[in-house]
Amino acid sequence: MAGARQAQQWLLTLLPAFPVLLLVLRLWQLSRQDMSTMLLLVQYVSPLGLLSALLIALVWAFPVVVLTFGVLGRLLRLSAPDRFDPERSLLASGTARTPGWVLTAAVALGALTWQLRFLPSLLMLGLWLLALRTRYLHPQEPTRILLVSVALPLAAAVLAYSVLGPAIWSAVQEGELATAALLAVPPAATVLLTGPIPGWIAPALTHGLAFTVAAVLPVVMGAVFLRVPLLPTAAIEVAPKEADAVHVPSDATPVPPPAGEAGTEVVLGALITVTDTSTIVLDQTAGVRFLPNGQVRSQVLCPQAAAVPYSLVSVRGWPVEETALDWMMPRRPLTDPDVRCAGRLPGEG
């Protein structure tokens, strides 16, 4: 069996197991390595909710994989055509079988889901793909090659620097060298890889980079997903146990208890489920609490706290840590947070 075909079969076998492994590791981390707690979460946590969280958290990875391996494969095919063997190389096999519309869709998805500071890198990858494809499909048209490989990258670099110039200078002044490099380096690097490289180094370089990306990307994806919340955060006001002995008629109007009543507490944590008898909560110490429904006075859903921005740099008012999708989506209106989400009873100071 050819090497690429055998490797492809192993890849197709192991690829579906990777999301399952991430989900299991996330539940294992959420349970603080307690097997009983983990089994309880597995019993009640919705698989659809897990997959939704996985998709939202890692949707950016699809353009990374498709565009990076697309550039490396086309660079290998153009630089060392005698070593481009789809029957022996998984990189060559993927390149030969990936249609152009998938690359276009990957660029569009990256434009929506990548943070602004990574969009210059997306522009660089897209122009590299276009230039390498043009050189391969139209080798006898020097005018087209010159236009796509030289004129277009230079024009894109000039336009990018005219827009990103103030942000690059602001990042340097703020000491955010990584942000400055992400904004400044890719436009200039676009003109460097629009043609073939020496054939003797192309196989080792492209396959080495492909293996490096394949090894590093799952680790990064796992680190990102392990920080994603899987359960809704709720604040539950629990009455004293003595309240169970008080009979309240079914037609009576509920009266809120006095603030600060002895024994009343607010339980903060991840809401697992509500059964016929109990409200099951994973509290902030990763302990499972079964709250009798007769003692639950009120519940409130606590919104996820907004991430503290790392960078102060913005491009014409657009923070570099926001995506185009964030900018397009309607903003949640600002409201005063419920005091119960801070662990306090209503009426407490």
Side-chain angles (χ1 to χ4, degrees):
M1 182 180 294
R5 197 171 301 170
Q6 185 178 14
Q8 187 178 31
Q9 290 186 357
W10 276 101
L11 179 63
L12 294 177
T13 301
L14 297 177
L15 191 59
F18 179 67
V20 177
L21 178 62
L22 283 182
L23 295 175
V24 172
L25 287 177
R26 184 66 183 94
L27 293 177
W28 180 245
Q29 182 202 37
L30 191 62
S31 65
R32 303 286 179 90
Q33 295 80 50
D34 181 73
M35 183 59 70
S36 297
T37 304
M38 177 183 167
L39 294 177
L40 179 70
L41 294 176
V42 171
Q43 180 179 358
Y44 286 110
V45 174
S46 167
L48 182 59
L50 292 174
L51 293 177
S52 300
L54 181 67
L55 177 63
I56 293 175
L58 302 179
V59 66
W60 54 267
F62 175 75
V64 173
V65 173
V66 172
L67 297 178
T68 302
F69 286 97
V71 167
L72 294 175
R74 281 155 180 78
L75 184 64
L76 175 64
R77 181 173 60 184
L78 191 64
S79 303
D82 55 320
R83 300 290 299 274
F84 187 83
D85 187 359
E87 294 296 328
R88 295 183 177 274
S89 169
L90 188 59
L91 179 62
S93 176
T95 301
R97 297 181 181 182
T98 302
W101 66 267
V102 174
L103 301 174
T104 304
V107 172
L109 184 61
L112 290 175
T113 59
W114 287 14
Q115 296 180 2
L116 174 59
R117 55 184 168 184
F118 297 116
L119 292 186
S121 301
L122 178 65
L123 175 66
M124 176 184 68
L125 292 173
L127 291 179
W128 280 354
L129 280 171
L130 181 60
L132 295 173
R133 179 179 180 274
T134 301
R135 285 182 178 270
Y136 176 74
L137 295 178
H138 308 281
Q140 306 300 327
E141 300 183 24
T143 303
R144 176 180 291 192
I145 292 176
L146 183 65
L147 179 65
V148 175
S149 302
V150 179
L152 185 59
L154 287 177
V158 171
L159 179 61
Y161 285 129
S162 64
V163 175
L164 301 176
I168 296 172
W169 178 245
S170 176
V172 173
Q173 288 182 320
E174 295 290 342
E176 300 179 18
L177 299 183
T179 300
L182 288 172
L183 297 176
V185 174
T190 302
V191 300
L192 300 179
L193 202 62
T194 57
I197 61 176
W200 59 272
I201 198 176
L205 180 63
T206 54
H207 285 93
L209 291 176
F211 286 133
T212 301
V213 172
V216 173
L217 188 60
V219 178
V220 176
M221 294 170 63
V224 171
F225 183 68
L226 290 180
R227 294 179 172 87
V228 174
L230 297 181
L231 295 170
T233 302
I236 303 173
E237 187 178 354
V238 183
K241 294 182 178 180
E242 290 77 10
D244 291 342
V246 180
H247 175 70
V248 179
S250 59
D251 57 347
T253 303
V255 179
E261 182 179 342
T264 303
E265 63 172 329
V266 175
V267 178
L268 284 175
L271 182 62
I272 300 176
T273 189
V274 178
T275 66
D276 294 337
T277 60
S278 303
T279 299
I280 307 177
V281 181
L282 185 69
D283 63 19
Q284 295 179 321
T285 63
V288 178
R289 298 188 61 175
F290 295 84
L291 308 176
N293 290 335
Q295 297 180 17
V296 175
R297 282 182 170 165
S298 64
Q299 301 181 40
V300 60
L301 185 66
C302 298
Q304 182 183 358
V308 178
Y310 167 78
S311 176
L312 301 176
V313 180
S314 62
V315 178
R316 303 186 183 275
W318 184 357
V320 295
E321 291 181 301
E322 287 194 359
T323 67
L325 203 57
D326 294 332
W327 178 75
M328 294 167 59
M329 291 291 183
R331 301 283 183 176
R332 175 183 297 175
L334 296 178
T335 58
D336 294 332
D338 195 294
V339 296
R340 287 168 291 186
C341 291
R344 304 196 307 269
L345 292 170
E348 288 185 354

